[in-house]
Amino acid sequence: MKSTLPSRLKQTISALIFGLAVTAPAAQADEVLKFFNWSDYIAEDTIERFEKETGIKVIADVFDSNEVLEAKMLAGSSGYDLVVPTSSFMGRQILAGVFQPLDKAQLPNSKHLDPELLTYLEKVDPGNHYGIPYLWGTTGLGYNPAMVKKALGEDAPVDSWDLVFKPENMKKLEKCGVMFLDSPDELYPLALNYLKLDPNSKKTADYASTSAASTLLKSVRPYVRQFHSSQYINALANGDICVAIGWSGDIIQAQDRAAEADNGVAIVYSIPKEGTQIWFDMLAIPASADNVKNAHTFINFLLRPDVIADITNYVAYANPNMAATALQDQDISNNPGIYPSAEVKKRFYPGNVRGVKIERLLTRFWSDLKTGR
């Protein structure tokens, strides 16, 4: 997830090669940190700076979905000292006992965290005992104005979920291409919220195959070209699709890639007027971590305003560090798609823990939806 970068793929490959190259010798070092992060989700020099300042060698591996991380965490010993779960997943993982409480005395830089944003996390992590917010963002619409105008005309509802949740619109957009996130944890709550229902509903009836939200998603399913949580970035940037439900920083990354390519493609990020989910990617220490002190040292490093400002500049996702805003590129800090106004924030909802039974219903529904059942 990113901002103004020349090559995200290059970074990902480099990180993977680095991880493979250093795993064996680093594991024998006295000072080590085993870090499991989303791919392309840190500045190019962050880890190098940390290693130079502390002498702690970082073994960095990457993942591309919460499900991958959760499988490792619930299996027992993950082999990592620091991981980056999304807050809604972290909430149920806390209940499963996979994390250890943070020692706030080792995290003096947590004083920079925005207390308003911390309140969103109270329901999944009461008292913020287990996680520190790393980066945050929203789920919205990325679209190509010219292509959407051609398909739907001047009055296309680009400020509303009507764009993708009304079959009559999706039928017209099908030719230019629409992609959805491959994430029931994102899409189903969006559908519930659009229908003016509780996006964090714990009523099993709201997740039945005949429920209003299920019916809504099935009604637009025939017009969705692909469900994927990263390929929409290049697809938008290259003009291969005209609309995507995606994450804020990824859509802005698509803008940057199109600008770098100078291919005449314009991309806009829209937070629909009906509201959307605000999500946080957290820093958490597994209960099985071997290098707990080093994990705290790295978290405190990431909480430094200058460090997290560089990361936000690179990945184009907002951070919760109040002192970092002035240090960031102003086109990032002043971008309402990255840092929405207080008025827009009123329409946000966090993802909460729904319970095992509902998660199973949701998983089953999503599998059926993608296969067209």
Side-chain angles (χ1 to χ4, degrees), residues 1-5 8 11-12 37-43 63-66 84 86 134-138 181 186 229-230 232-233 246-254 256-257 279-281 311-318:
M1 307 174 175
K2 81 94 169 159
S3 164
T4 51
L5 57 165
R8 308 290 282 165
Q11 184 205 7
T12 303
N37 189 18
W38 292 83
S39 59
D40 303 324
Y41 211 38
I42 196 164
F63 59 91
D64 62 4
S65 76
N66 271 296
V84 190
T86 298
Y134 172 50
L135 297 170
W136 66 274
T138 55
L181 288 168
E186 301 272 352
S229 295
S230 62
Y232 67 89
I233 305 172
W247 294 310
S248 50
D250 282 0
I251 304 300
I252 291 161
Q253 182 181 146
D256 292 341
R257 291 186 184 181
W279 49 262
F280 297 84
D281 287 329
I311 292 172
T312 287
N313 285 342
Y314 190 72
V315 303
Y317 280 99

Side-chain angles (χ1 to χ4, degrees), residues 18-90:
F18 173 78
L20 291 172
V22 304
T23 297
Q28 300 169 7
D30 291 333
E31 295 295 334
V32 153
L33 173 72
K34 298 171 186 175
F35 184 40
F36 202 30
N37 189 18
W38 292 83
S39 59
D40 303 324
Y41 211 38
I42 196 164
E44 289 180 307
D45 64 345
T46 306
I47 289 175
E48 181 182 0
R49 287 174 64 187
F50 176 74
E51 289 178 330
K52 285 183 177 179
E53 288 188 24
T54 66
I56 298 170
K57 175 64 68 174
V58 177
I59 302 171
D61 292 330
V62 298
F63 59 91
D64 62 4
S65 76
N66 271 296
E67 289 76 10
V68 169
L69 173 59
E70 184 165 80
K72 281 188 174 290
M73 297 306 301
L74 297 180
S77 180
S78 68
Y80 293 100
D81 303 309
L82 186 64
V83 297
V84 190
T86 298
S87 53
S88 57
F89 280 76
M90 184 188 73

Side-chain angles (χ1 to χ4, degrees), residues 117-137:
L117 293 178
L118 290 177
T119 62
Y120 282 104
L121 298 165
E122 281 290 332
K123 286 190 176 180
V124 295
D125 182 16
N128 305 115
H129 290 308
Y130 290 91
I132 289 288
Y134 172 50
L135 297 170
W136 66 274

Side-chain angles (χ1 to χ4, degrees), residues 116 271 335-348:
E116 179 190 1
I271 298 174
N335 187 324
I338 301 174
Y339 286 95
S341 68
E343 185 62 31
V344 172
K345 282 183 184 177
K346 291 178 183 177
R347 301 193 295 273
F348 291 170

Side-chain angles (χ1 to χ4, degrees), residues 8-317:
R8 308 290 282 165
L9 181 60
K10 179 179 177 182
Q11 184 205 7
T12 303
I13 294 172
S14 298
L16 289 169
I17 292 173
F18 173 78
L20 291 172
V22 304
T23 297
Q28 300 169 7
D30 291 333
E31 295 295 334
V32 153
L33 173 72
K34 298 171 186 175
F35 184 40
F36 202 30
N37 189 18
W38 292 83
S39 59
D40 303 324
Y41 211 38
I42 196 164
E44 289 180 307
D45 64 345
T46 306
I47 289 175
E48 181 182 0
R49 287 174 64 187
F50 176 74
E51 289 178 330
K52 285 183 177 179
E53 288 188 24
T54 66
I56 298 170
K57 175 64 68 174
V58 177
I59 302 171
D61 292 330
V62 298
F63 59 91
D64 62 4
S65 76
N66 271 296
E67 289 76 10
V68 169
L69 173 59
E70 184 165 80
K72 281 188 174 290
M73 297 306 301
L74 297 180
S77 180
S78 68
Y80 293 100
D81 303 309
L82 186 64
V83 297
V84 190
T86 298
S87 53
S88 57
F89 280 76
M90 184 188 73
R92 66 197 197 201
Q93 291 159 7
I94 289 172
L95 295 176
V98 301
F99 298 121
Q100 56 183 277
L102 297 170
D103 179 0
K104 298 295 180 67
Q106 296 186 56
L107 304 173
N109 286 331
S110 61
K111 66 184 179 182
H112 299 300
L113 292 173
D114 184 342
E116 179 190 1
L117 293 178
L118 290 177
T119 62
Y120 282 104
L121 298 165
E122 281 290 332
K123 286 190 176 180
V124 295
D125 182 16
N128 305 115
H129 290 308
Y130 290 91
I132 289 288
Y134 172 50
L135 297 170
W136 66 274
T138 55
T139 305
L141 295 167
Y143 68 95
N144 181 312
M147 295 172 76
V148 170
K149 179 181 176 181
K150 183 177 179 180
L152 296 179
E154 293 280 358
D155 297 326
V158 293
D159 65 341
S160 169
W161 289 115
D162 286 348
L163 187 70
V164 291
F165 285 157
K166 285 198 170 182
E168 58 266 36
N169 290 333
M170 286 289 284
K171 187 174 183 179
K172 294 177 181 178
L173 292 169
E174 181 184 14
K175 288 185 179 179
C176 58
V178 180
M179 291 178 66
F180 282 11
L181 288 168
D182 186 5
S183 175
D185 199 60
E186 301 272 352
L187 270 294
Y188 210 93
L190 288 176
L192 287 168
N193 188 68
Y194 176 73
L195 294 166
K196 296 182 171 55
L197 299 171
D198 180 1
N200 289 300
S201 173
K202 294 184 179 181
K203 299 176 182 177
T204 55
D206 284 337
Y207 299 87
S209 61
T210 56
S211 69
S214 296
T215 301
L216 171 66
L217 290 170
K218 285 189 285 189
S219 74
V220 298
R221 169 63 184 94
Y223 313 111
V224 178
R225 181 177 296 182
Q226 187 179 11
F227 292 86
H228 203 280
S229 295
S230 62
Q231 290 184 6
Y232 67 89
I233 305 172
N234 278 334
L236 279 172
N238 296 335
D240 296 331
I241 62 171
C242 55
V243 176
I245 297 180
W247 294 310
S248 50
D250 282 0
I251 304 300
I252 291 161
Q253 182 181 146
Q255 290 177 343
D256 292 341
R257 291 186 184 181
E260 289 167 9
D262 195 21
N263 58 6
V265 172
I267 303 298
V268 174
Y269 179 65
S270 171
I271 298 174
K273 60 187 178 183
E274 298 88 354
T276 192
Q277 180 166 307
I278 182 174
W279 49 262
F280 297 84
D281 287 329
M282 308 295 292
L283 297 166
I285 302 175
S288 60
D290 293 323
N291 302 288
V292 176
K293 185 175 184 301
N294 292 347
H296 280 88
T297 301
F298 192 49
I299 293 173
N300 198 53
F301 177 77
L302 294 175
L303 285 168
R304 263 176 38 189
D306 61 314
V307 173
I308 199 65
D310 284 346
I311 292 172
T312 287
N313 285 342
Y314 190 72
V315 303
Y317 280 99

